[in-house]
Amino acid sequence: MKVSYILLNKTGKARKIPPGEAWQWTVYVEDASQLTQVLDRLKRDIRENRLALANLRFERHTLDTVSTDEVAFAYKGPIIYDRAIQPQRIINRHAEQA
């Protein structure tokens, strides 16, 4: 399964992403435990760095064994969906590196 998302630094206070920039991550996961780890890290990064989440997408492939029924993603903040967001940096990772 492929998980992609963009993190925006709208406040200018974040340490991870420069002020006003958007970075996109694409993470490839193979099972539910890896997906849970990726989503937990995503929530932690958003909270610690005061970032906004945008364009969160899960792309399943027929050969993947990841069952989204086993994973819960409880995020209280808004998720922005906007095609006009242009990331200044794109990061591709396998879940083992995440």
Side-chain angles (χ1 to χ4, degrees), residues 10-11 15 18-20 27 36-38 45 47-48 53-54 58-59 70 72 84 86-87 90 95 97-98:
K10 294 168 61 173
T11 64
R15 295 170 287 181
V27 183
T36 301
Q37 290 174 358
V38 168
D45 285 347
R47 182 180 62 249
E48 290 176 357
L53 178 60
F58 299 92
E59 296 180 24
E70 302 172 32
Q86 295 295 319
I90 298 173
Q97 300 171 352

mmCIF file with all atom_site columns, all heavy atoms in Angstrom, residues 10-11 15 18-20 27 36-38 45 47-48 53-54 58-59 70 72 84 86-87 90 95 97-98:
data_model
loop_
_atom_site.group_PDB
_atom_site.id
_atom_site.type_symbol
_atom_site.label_atom_id
_atom_site.label_alt_id
_atom_site.label_comp_id
_atom_site.label_asym_id
_atom_site.label_entity_id
_atom_site.label_seq_id
_atom_site.pdbx_PDB_ins_code
_atom_site.Cartn_x
_atom_site.Cartn_y
_atom_site.Cartn_z
_atom_site.occupancy
_atom_site.B_iso_or_equiv
_atom_site.pdbx_formal_charge
_atom_site.auth_seq_id
_atom_site.auth_comp_id
_atom_site.auth_asym_id
_atom_site.auth_atom_id
_atom_site.pdbx_PDB_model_num
ATOM 1   N N   . LYS A 1 10 ? 2.243  26.492 7.805  1.00 0.00 ? 10 LYS A N   1
ATOM 2   C CA  . LYS A 1 10 ? 1.468  27.719 7.605  1.00 0.00 ? 10 LYS A CA  1
ATOM 3   C C   . LYS A 1 10 ? 1.756  28.758 8.675  1.00 0.00 ? 10 LYS A C   1
ATOM 4   O O   . LYS A 1 10 ? 1.607  29.942 8.448  1.00 0.00 ? 10 LYS A O   1
ATOM 5   C CB  . LYS A 1 10 ? -0.021 27.390 7.583  1.00 0.00 ? 10 LYS A CB  1
ATOM 6   C CG  . LYS A 1 10 ? -0.417 26.550 6.399  1.00 0.00 ? 10 LYS A CG  1
ATOM 7   C CD  . LYS A 1 10 ? -1.803 25.978 6.495  1.00 0.00 ? 10 LYS A CD  1
ATOM 8   C CE  . LYS A 1 10 ? -2.875 27.002 6.583  1.00 0.00 ? 10 LYS A CE  1
ATOM 9   N NZ  . LYS A 1 10 ? -4.232 26.450 6.518  1.00 0.00 ? 10 LYS A NZ  1
ATOM 10  N N   . THR A 1 11 ? 2.178  28.320 9.864  1.00 0.00 ? 11 THR A N   1
ATOM 11  C CA  . THR A 1 11 ? 2.383  29.238 10.980 1.00 0.00 ? 11 THR A CA  1
ATOM 12  C C   . THR A 1 11 ? 3.774  29.859 10.995 1.00 0.00 ? 11 THR A C   1
ATOM 13  O O   . THR A 1 11 ? 3.979  30.897 11.612 1.00 0.00 ? 11 THR A O   1
ATOM 14  C CB  . THR A 1 11 ? 2.174  28.517 12.320 1.00 0.00 ? 11 THR A CB  1
ATOM 15  O OG1 . THR A 1 11 ? 3.175  27.501 12.458 1.00 0.00 ? 11 THR A OG1 1
ATOM 16  C CG2 . THR A 1 11 ? 0.799  27.910 12.424 1.00 0.00 ? 11 THR A CG2 1
ATOM 17  N N   . ARG A 1 15 ? 9.837  23.536 13.064 1.00 0.00 ? 15 ARG A N   1
ATOM 18  C CA  . ARG A 1 15 ? 11.277 23.344 12.935 1.00 0.00 ? 15 ARG A CA  1
ATOM 19  C C   . ARG A 1 15 ? 11.613 22.418 11.781 1.00 0.00 ? 15 ARG A C   1
ATOM 20  O O   . ARG A 1 15 ? 12.680 22.500 11.209 1.00 0.00 ? 15 ARG A O   1
ATOM 21  C CB  . ARG A 1 15 ? 11.841 22.755 14.221 1.00 0.00 ? 15 ARG A CB  1
ATOM 22  C CG  . ARG A 1 15 ? 11.714 23.679 15.408 1.00 0.00 ? 15 ARG A CG  1
ATOM 23  C CD  . ARG A 1 15 ? 12.049 22.953 16.662 1.00 0.00 ? 15 ARG A CD  1
ATOM 24  N NE  . ARG A 1 15 ? 10.907 22.062 16.924 1.00 0.00 ? 15 ARG A NE  1
ATOM 25  C CZ  . ARG A 1 15 ? 10.792 21.265 17.948 1.00 0.00 ? 15 ARG A CZ  1
ATOM 26  N NH1 . ARG A 1 15 ? 11.745 21.218 18.828 1.00 0.00 ? 15 ARG A NH1 1
ATOM 27  N NH2 . ARG A 1 15 ? 9.742  20.525 18.108 1.00 0.00 ? 15 ARG A NH2 1
ATOM 28  N N   . PRO A 1 18 ? 10.606 24.539 6.500  1.00 0.00 ? 18 PRO A N   1
ATOM 29  C CA  . PRO A 1 18 ? 10.764 25.996 6.504  1.00 0.00 ? 18 PRO A CA  1
ATOM 30  C C   . PRO A 1 18 ? 9.420  26.723 6.397  1.00 0.00 ? 18 PRO A C   1
ATOM 31  O O   . PRO A 1 18 ? 8.464  26.192 5.839  1.00 0.00 ? 18 PRO A O   1
ATOM 32  C CB  . PRO A 1 18 ? 11.623 26.261 5.256  1.00 0.00 ? 18 PRO A CB  1
ATOM 33  C CG  . PRO A 1 18 ? 12.340 24.972 5.016  1.00 0.00 ? 18 PRO A CG  1
ATOM 34  C CD  . PRO A 1 18 ? 11.393 23.890 5.451  1.00 0.00 ? 18 PRO A CD  1
ATOM 35  N N   . PRO A 1 19 ? 9.335  27.940 6.925  1.00 0.00 ? 19 PRO A N   1
ATOM 36  C CA  . PRO A 1 19 ? 8.082  28.703 6.912  1.00 0.00 ? 19 PRO A CA  1
ATOM 37  C C   . PRO A 1 19 ? 7.507  28.865 5.500  1.00 0.00 ? 19 PRO A C   1
ATOM 38  O O   . PRO A 1 19 ? 8.234  29.173 4.560  1.00 0.00 ? 19 PRO A O   1
ATOM 39  C CB  . PRO A 1 19 ? 8.476  30.071 7.490  1.00 0.00 ? 19 PRO A CB  1
ATOM 40  C CG  . PRO A 1 19 ? 9.703  29.792 8.294  1.00 0.00 ? 19 PRO A CG  1
ATOM 41  C CD  . PRO A 1 19 ? 10.411 28.667 7.593  1.00 0.00 ? 19 PRO A CD  1
ATOM 42  N N   . GLY A 1 20 ? 6.210  28.622 5.381  1.00 0.00 ? 20 GLY A N   1
ATOM 43  C CA  . GLY A 1 20 ? 5.517  28.801 4.121  1.00 0.00 ? 20 GLY A CA  1
ATOM 44  C C   . GLY A 1 20 ? 5.681  27.680 3.110  1.00 0.00 ? 20 GLY A C   1
ATOM 45  O O   . GLY A 1 20 ? 5.122  27.735 2.024  1.00 0.00 ? 20 GLY A O   1
ATOM 46  N N   . VAL A 1 27 ? 5.069  6.994  1.368  1.00 0.00 ? 27 VAL A N   1
ATOM 47  C CA  . VAL A 1 27 ? 5.604  5.884  2.159  1.00 0.00 ? 27 VAL A CA  1
ATOM 48  C C   . VAL A 1 27 ? 4.938  4.599  1.687  1.00 0.00 ? 27 VAL A C   1
ATOM 49  O O   . VAL A 1 27 ? 3.722  4.535  1.549  1.00 0.00 ? 27 VAL A O   1
ATOM 50  C CB  . VAL A 1 27 ? 5.340  6.098  3.668  1.00 0.00 ? 27 VAL A CB  1
ATOM 51  C CG1 . VAL A 1 27 ? 5.953  4.975  4.484  1.00 0.00 ? 27 VAL A CG1 1
ATOM 52  C CG2 . VAL A 1 27 ? 5.866  7.447  4.123  1.00 0.00 ? 27 VAL A CG2 1
ATOM 53  N N   . THR A 1 36 ? 0.429  1.427  10.899 1.00 0.00 ? 36 THR A N   1
ATOM 54  C CA  . THR A 1 36 ? 0.187  2.035  12.204 1.00 0.00 ? 36 THR A CA  1
ATOM 55  C C   . THR A 1 36 ? 1.376  2.886  12.632 1.00 0.00 ? 36 THR A C   1
ATOM 56  O O   . THR A 1 36 ? 1.205  4.001  13.128 1.00 0.00 ? 36 THR A O   1
ATOM 57  C CB  . THR A 1 36 ? -0.110 0.954  13.255 1.00 0.00 ? 36 THR A CB  1
ATOM 58  O OG1 . THR A 1 36 ? -1.258 0.216  12.840 1.00 0.00 ? 36 THR A OG1 1
ATOM 59  C CG2 . THR A 1 36 ? -0.354 1.547  14.624 1.00 0.00 ? 36 THR A CG2 1
ATOM 60  N N   . GLN A 1 37 ? 2.593  2.386  12.429 1.00 0.00 ? 37 GLN A N   1
ATOM 61  C CA  . GLN A 1 37 ? 3.794  3.145  12.789 1.00 0.00 ? 37 GLN A CA  1
ATOM 62  C C   . GLN A 1 37 ? 3.893  4.436  11.985 1.00 0.00 ? 37 GLN A C   1
ATOM 63  O O   . GLN A 1 37 ? 4.231  5.494  12.527 1.00 0.00 ? 37 GLN A O   1
ATOM 64  C CB  . GLN A 1 37 ? 5.041  2.303  12.560 1.00 0.00 ? 37 GLN A CB  1
ATOM 65  C CG  . GLN A 1 37 ? 5.201  1.164  13.520 1.00 0.00 ? 37 GLN A CG  1
ATOM 66  C CD  . GLN A 1 37 ? 6.375  0.264  13.152 1.00 0.00 ? 37 GLN A CD  1
ATOM 67  O OE1 . GLN A 1 37 ? 7.047  0.477  12.146 1.00 0.00 ? 37 GLN A OE1 1
ATOM 68  N NE2 . GLN A 1 37 ? 6.608  -0.746 13.970 1.00 0.00 ? 37 GLN A NE2 1
ATOM 69  N N   . VAL A 1 38 ? 3.600  4.364  10.692 1.00 0.00 ? 38 VAL A N   1
ATOM 70  C CA  . VAL A 1 38 ? 3.664  5.545  9.830  1.00 0.00 ? 38 VAL A CA  1
ATOM 71  C C   . VAL A 1 38 ? 2.645  6.586  10.282 1.00 0.00 ? 38 VAL A C   1
ATOM 72  O O   . VAL A 1 38 ? 2.954  7.771  10.395 1.00 0.00 ? 38 VAL A O   1
ATOM 73  C CB  . VAL A 1 38 ? 3.434  5.155  8.351  1.00 0.00 ? 38 VAL A CB  1
ATOM 74  C CG1 . VAL A 1 38 ? 3.198  6.380  7.484  1.00 0.00 ? 38 VAL A CG1 1
ATOM 75  C CG2 . VAL A 1 38 ? 4.606  4.349  7.830  1.00 0.00 ? 38 VAL A CG2 1
ATOM 76  N N   . ASP A 1 45 ? 4.581  14.158 14.328 1.00 0.00 ? 45 ASP A N   1
ATOM 77  C CA  . ASP A 1 45 ? 5.242  15.245 13.599 1.00 0.00 ? 45 ASP A CA  1
ATOM 78  C C   . ASP A 1 45 ? 4.345  16.470 13.469 1.00 0.00 ? 45 ASP A C   1
ATOM 79  O O   . ASP A 1 45 ? 4.800  17.603 13.610 1.00 0.00 ? 45 ASP A O   1
ATOM 80  C CB  . ASP A 1 45 ? 5.674  14.775 12.198 1.00 0.00 ? 45 ASP A CB  1
ATOM 81  C CG  . ASP A 1 45 ? 6.900  13.881 12.234 1.00 0.00 ? 45 ASP A CG  1
ATOM 82  O OD1 . ASP A 1 45 ? 7.577  13.813 13.278 1.00 0.00 ? 45 ASP A OD1 1
ATOM 83  O OD2 . ASP A 1 45 ? 7.188  13.243 11.201 1.00 0.00 ? 45 ASP A OD2 1
ATOM 84  N N   . ARG A 1 47 ? 1.868  17.364 15.469 1.00 0.00 ? 47 ARG A N   1
ATOM 85  C CA  . ARG A 1 47 ? 1.693  17.970 16.788 1.00 0.00 ? 47 ARG A CA  1
ATOM 86  C C   . ARG A 1 47 ? 2.970  18.698 17.246 1.00 0.00 ? 47 ARG A C   1
ATOM 87  O O   . ARG A 1 47 ? 2.915  19.854 17.667 1.00 0.00 ? 47 ARG A O   1
ATOM 88  C CB  . ARG A 1 47 ? 1.304  16.895 17.802 1.00 0.00 ? 47 ARG A CB  1
ATOM 89  C CG  . ARG A 1 47 ? 1.057  17.420 19.203 1.00 0.00 ? 47 ARG A CG  1
ATOM 90  C CD  . ARG A 1 47 ? 0.679  16.322 20.183 1.00 0.00 ? 47 ARG A CD  1
ATOM 91  N NE  . ARG A 1 47 ? 1.746  15.343 20.328 1.00 0.00 ? 47 ARG A NE  1
ATOM 92  C CZ  . ARG A 1 47 ? 1.677  14.071 19.897 1.00 0.00 ? 47 ARG A CZ  1
ATOM 93  N NH1 . ARG A 1 47 ? 0.601  13.619 19.314 1.00 0.00 ? 47 ARG A NH1 1
ATOM 94  N NH2 . ARG A 1 47 ? 2.698  13.244 20.050 1.00 0.00 ? 47 ARG A NH2 1
ATOM 95  N N   . GLU A 1 48 ? 4.111  18.040 17.155 1.00 0.00 ? 48 GLU A N   1
ATOM 96  C CA  . GLU A 1 48 ? 5.355  18.614 17.662 1.00 0.00 ? 48 GLU A CA  1
ATOM 97  C C   . GLU A 1 48 ? 5.839  19.802 16.841 1.00 0.00 ? 48 GLU A C   1
ATOM 98  O O   . GLU A 1 48 ? 6.479  20.701 17.371 1.00 0.00 ? 48 GLU A O   1
ATOM 99  C CB  . GLU A 1 48 ? 6.445  17.544 17.704 1.00 0.00 ? 48 GLU A CB  1
ATOM 100 C CG  . GLU A 1 48 ? 6.228  16.499 18.765 1.00 0.00 ? 48 GLU A CG  1
ATOM 101 C CD  . GLU A 1 48 ? 7.266  15.389 18.727 1.00 0.00 ? 48 GLU A CD  1
ATOM 102 O OE1 . GLU A 1 48 ? 8.149  15.402 17.830 1.00 0.00 ? 48 GLU A OE1 1
ATOM 103 O OE2 . GLU A 1 48 ? 7.193  14.497 19.589 1.00 0.00 ? 48 GLU A OE2 1
ATOM 104 N N   . LEU A 1 53 ? -1.897 19.185 7.848  1.00 0.00 ? 53 LEU A N   1
ATOM 105 C CA  . LEU A 1 53 ? -1.918 17.984 7.019  1.00 0.00 ? 53 LEU A CA  1
ATOM 106 C C   . LEU A 1 53 ? -2.754 18.246 5.776  1.00 0.00 ? 53 LEU A C   1
ATOM 107 O O   . LEU A 1 53 ? -3.852 18.782 5.856  1.00 0.00 ? 53 LEU A O   1
ATOM 108 C CB  . LEU A 1 53 ? -2.506 16.816 7.815  1.00 0.00 ? 53 LEU A CB  1
ATOM 109 C CG  . LEU A 1 53 ? -2.661 15.488 7.104  1.00 0.00 ? 53 LEU A CG  1
ATOM 110 C CD1 . LEU A 1 53 ? -1.322 14.961 6.607  1.00 0.00 ? 53 LEU A CD1 1
ATOM 111 C CD2 . LEU A 1 53 ? -3.320 14.482 8.034  1.00 0.00 ? 53 LEU A CD2 1
ATOM 112 N N   . ALA A 1 54 ? -2.217 17.851 4.625  1.00 0.00 ? 54 ALA A N   1
ATOM 113 C CA  . ALA A 1 54 ? -2.933 18.056 3.365  1.00 0.00 ? 54 ALA A CA  1
ATOM 114 C C   . ALA A 1 54 ? -2.813 16.825 2.478  1.00 0.00 ? 54 ALA A C   1
ATOM 115 O O   . ALA A 1 54 ? -1.820 16.096 2.525  1.00 0.00 ? 54 ALA A O   1
ATOM 116 C CB  . ALA A 1 54 ? -2.379 19.266 2.628  1.00 0.00 ? 54 ALA A CB  1
ATOM 117 N N   . PHE A 1 58 ? -4.507 7.090  0.584  1.00 0.00 ? 58 PHE A N   1
ATOM 118 C CA  . PHE A 1 58 ? -4.113 5.694  0.725  1.00 0.00 ? 58 PHE A CA  1
ATOM 119 C C   . PHE A 1 58 ? -4.400 5.014  -0.603 1.00 0.00 ? 58 PHE A C   1
ATOM 120 O O   . PHE A 1 58 ? -5.545 5.020  -1.053 1.00 0.00 ? 58 PHE A O   1
ATOM 121 C CB  . PHE A 1 58 ? -4.924 5.002  1.825  1.00 0.00 ? 58 PHE A CB  1
ATOM 122 C CG  . PHE A 1 58 ? -4.742 5.617  3.181  1.00 0.00 ? 58 PHE A CG  1
ATOM 123 C CD1 . PHE A 1 58 ? -5.591 6.609  3.634  1.00 0.00 ? 58 PHE A CD1 1
ATOM 124 C CD2 . PHE A 1 58 ? -3.717 5.194  4.007  1.00 0.00 ? 58 PHE A CD2 1
ATOM 125 C CE1 . PHE A 1 58 ? -5.430 7.177  4.880  1.00 0.00 ? 58 PHE A CE1 1
ATOM 126 C CE2 . PHE A 1 58 ? -3.544 5.759  5.255  1.00 0.00 ? 58 PHE A CE2 1
ATOM 127 C CZ  . PHE A 1 58 ? -4.405 6.746  5.692  1.00 0.00 ? 58 PHE A CZ  1
ATOM 128 N N   . GLU A 1 59 ? -3.373 4.435  -1.219 1.00 0.00 ? 59 GLU A N   1
ATOM 129 C CA  . GLU A 1 59 ? -3.563 3.746  -2.495 1.00 0.00 ? 59 GLU A CA  1
ATOM 130 C C   . GLU A 1 59 ? -3.265 2.272  -2.309 1.00 0.00 ? 59 GLU A C   1
ATOM 131 O O   . GLU A 1 59 ? -2.137 1.877  -2.061 1.00 0.00 ? 59 GLU A O   1
ATOM 132 C CB  . GLU A 1 59 ? -2.652 4.347  -3.560 1.00 0.00 ? 59 GLU A CB  1
ATOM 133 C CG  . GLU A 1 59 ? -2.975 5.785  -3.882 1.00 0.00 ? 59 GLU A CG  1
ATOM 134 C CD  . GLU A 1 59 ? -2.066 6.366  -4.938 1.00 0.00 ? 59 GLU A CD  1
ATOM 135 O OE1 . GLU A 1 59 ? -1.498 5.595  -5.743 1.00 0.00 ? 59 GLU A OE1 1
ATOM 136 O OE2 . GLU A 1 59 ? -1.902 7.590  -4.947 1.00 0.00 ? 59 GLU A OE2 1
ATOM 137 N N   . GLU A 1 70 ? -7.768 -3.142 10.101 1.00 0.00 ? 70 GLU A N   1
ATOM 138 C CA  . GLU A 1 70 ? -6.979 -3.386 11.304 1.00 0.00 ? 70 GLU A CA  1
ATOM 139 C C   . GLU A 1 70 ? -6.350 -2.112 11.861 1.00 0.00 ? 70 GLU A C   1
ATOM 140 O O   . GLU A 1 70 ? -5.785 -2.133 12.946 1.00 0.00 ? 70 GLU A O   1
ATOM 141 C CB  . GLU A 1 70 ? -5.852 -4.376 10.990 1.00 0.00 ? 70 GLU A CB  1
ATOM 142 C CG  . GLU A 1 70 ? -6.312 -5.708 10.460 1.00 0.00 ? 70 GLU A CG  1
ATOM 143 C CD  . GLU A 1 70 ? -5.133 -6.556 9.998  1.00 0.00 ? 70 GLU A CD  1
ATOM 144 O OE1 . GLU A 1 70 ? -4.045 -6.433 10.582 1.00 0.00 ? 70 GLU A OE1 1
ATOM 145 O OE2 . GLU A 1 70 ? -5.316 -7.328 9.054  1.00 0.00 ? 70 GLU A OE2 1
ATOM 146 N N   . ALA A 1 72 ? -6.530 2.082  12.809 1.00 0.00 ? 72 ALA A N   1
ATOM 147 C CA  . ALA A 1 72 ? -7.365 3.248  13.105 1.00 0.00 ? 72 ALA A CA  1
ATOM 148 C C   . ALA A 1 72 ? -6.496 4.496  13.064 1.00 0.00 ? 72 ALA A C   1
ATOM 149 O O   . ALA A 1 72 ? -5.418 4.528  13.652 1.00 0.00 ? 72 ALA A O   1
ATOM 150 C CB  . ALA A 1 72 ? -8.009 3.098  14.468 1.00 0.00 ? 72 ALA A CB  1
ATOM 151 N N   . ALA A 1 84 ? -3.920 22.504 -5.774 1.00 0.00 ? 84 ALA A N   1
ATOM 152 C CA  . ALA A 1 84 ? -3.035 23.628 -6.071 1.00 0.00 ? 84 ALA A CA  1
ATOM 153 C C   . ALA A 1 84 ? -1.784 23.649 -5.190 1.00 0.00 ? 84 ALA A C   1
ATOM 154 O O   . ALA A 1 84 ? -0.852 24.398 -5.473 1.00 0.00 ? 84 ALA A O   1
ATOM 155 C CB  . ALA A 1 84 ? -3.799 24.942 -5.914 1.00 0.00 ? 84 ALA A CB  1
ATOM 156 N N   . GLN A 1 86 ? 1.673  22.945 -4.114 1.00 0.00 ? 86 GLN A N   1
ATOM 157 C CA  . GLN A 1 86 ? 2.880  22.480 -4.794 1.00 0.00 ? 86 GLN A CA  1
ATOM 158 C C   . GLN A 1 86 ? 3.986  22.241 -3.767 1.00 0.00 ? 86 GLN A C   1
ATOM 159 O O   . GLN A 1 86 ? 4.507  23.196 -3.195 1.00 0.00 ? 86 GLN A O   1
ATOM 160 C CB  . GLN A 1 86 ? 3.354  23.522 -5.818 1.00 0.00 ? 86 GLN A CB  1
ATOM 161 C CG  . GLN A 1 86 ? 2.383  23.746 -6.959 1.00 0.00 ? 86 GLN A CG  1
ATOM 162 C CD  . GLN A 1 86 ? 2.231  22.504 -7.814 1.00 0.00 ? 86 GLN A CD  1
ATOM 163 O OE1 . GLN A 1 86 ? 3.194  21.813 -8.108 1.00 0.00 ? 86 GLN A OE1 1
ATOM 164 N NE2 . GLN A 1 86 ? 1.000  22.203 -8.197 1.00 0.00 ? 86 GLN A NE2 1
ATOM 165 N N   . PRO A 1 87 ? 4.336  20.975 -3.522 1.00 0.00 ? 87 PRO A N   1
ATOM 166 C CA  . PRO A 1 87 ? 5.393  20.717 -2.535 1.00 0.00 ? 87 PRO A CA  1
ATOM 167 C C   . PRO A 1 87 ? 6.761  21.160 -3.049 1.00 0.00 ? 87 PRO A C   1
ATOM 168 O O   . PRO A 1 87 ? 7.079  20.994 -4.226 1.00 0.00 ? 87 PRO A O   1
ATOM 169 C CB  . PRO A 1 87 ? 5.333  19.200 -2.342 1.00 0.00 ? 87 PRO A CB  1
ATOM 170 C CG  . PRO A 1 87 ? 4.675  18.673 -3.567 1.00 0.00 ? 87 PRO A CG  1
ATOM 171 C CD  . PRO A 1 87 ? 3.778  19.752 -4.083 1.00 0.00 ? 87 PRO A CD  1
ATOM 172 N N   . ILE A 1 90 ? 9.907  16.476 -2.203 1.00 0.00 ? 90 ILE A N   1
ATOM 173 C CA  . ILE A 1 90 ? 9.182  15.209 -2.251 1.00 0.00 ? 90 ILE A CA  1
ATOM 174 C C   . ILE A 1 90 ? 10.101 14.122 -1.707 1.00 0.00 ? 90 ILE A C   1
ATOM 175 O O   . ILE A 1 90 ? 11.230 13.968 -2.149 1.00 0.00 ? 90 ILE A O   1
ATOM 176 C CB  . ILE A 1 90 ? 8.737  14.874 -3.684 1.00 0.00 ? 90 ILE A CB  1
ATOM 177 C CG1 . ILE A 1 90 ? 7.782  15.955 -4.182 1.00 0.00 ? 90 ILE A CG1 1
ATOM 178 C CG2 . ILE A 1 90 ? 8.073  13.497 -3.730 1.00 0.00 ? 90 ILE A CG2 1
ATOM 179 C CD1 . ILE A 1 90 ? 7.404  15.821 -5.642 1.00 0.00 ? 90 ILE A CD1 1
ATOM 180 N N   . ALA A 1 95 ? 8.468  1.779  4.415  1.00 0.00 ? 95 ALA A N   1
ATOM 181 C CA  . ALA A 1 95 ? 8.087  1.866  5.828  1.00 0.00 ? 95 ALA A CA  1
ATOM 182 C C   . ALA A 1 95 ? 9.214  1.469  6.780  1.00 0.00 ? 95 ALA A C   1
ATOM 183 O O   . ALA A 1 95 ? 9.275  1.966  7.892  1.00 0.00 ? 95 ALA A O   1
ATOM 184 C CB  . ALA A 1 95 ? 6.863  1.010  6.104  1.00 0.00 ? 95 ALA A CB  1
ATOM 185 N N   . GLN A 1 97 ? 12.175 2.410  6.644  1.00 0.00 ? 97 GLN A N   1
ATOM 186 C CA  . GLN A 1 97 ? 13.002 3.596  6.830  1.00 0.00 ? 97 GLN A CA  1
ATOM 187 C C   . GLN A 1 97 ? 12.246 4.704  7.547  1.00 0.00 ? 97 GLN A C   1
ATOM 188 O O   . GLN A 1 97 ? 12.831 5.677  7.947  1.00 0.00 ? 97 GLN A O   1
ATOM 189 C CB  . GLN A 1 97 ? 13.461 4.124  5.478  1.00 0.00 ? 97 GLN A CB  1
ATOM 190 C CG  . GLN A 1 97 ? 14.266 3.141  4.704  1.00 0.00 ? 97 GLN A CG  1
ATOM 191 C CD  . GLN A 1 97 ? 14.523 3.632  3.286  1.00 0.00 ? 97 GLN A CD  1
ATOM 192 O OE1 . GLN A 1 97 ? 13.976 4.625  2.862  1.00 0.00 ? 97 GLN A OE1 1
ATOM 193 N NE2 . GLN A 1 97 ? 15.340 2.916  2.557  1.00 0.00 ? 97 GLN A NE2 1
ATOM 194 N N   . ALA A 1 98 ? 10.938 4.567  7.684  1.00 0.00 ? 98 ALA A N   1
ATOM 195 C CA  . ALA A 1 98 ? 10.117 5.662  8.210  1.00 0.00 ? 98 ALA A CA  1
ATOM 196 C C   . ALA A 1 98 ? 10.305 5.907  9.658  1.00 0.00 ? 98 ALA A C   1
ATOM 197 O O   . ALA A 1 98 ? 10.924 5.612  10.473 1.00 0.00 ? 98 ALA A O   1
ATOM 198 C CB  . ALA A 1 98 ? 8.639  5.356  8.004  1.00 0.00 ? 98 ALA A CB  1
#
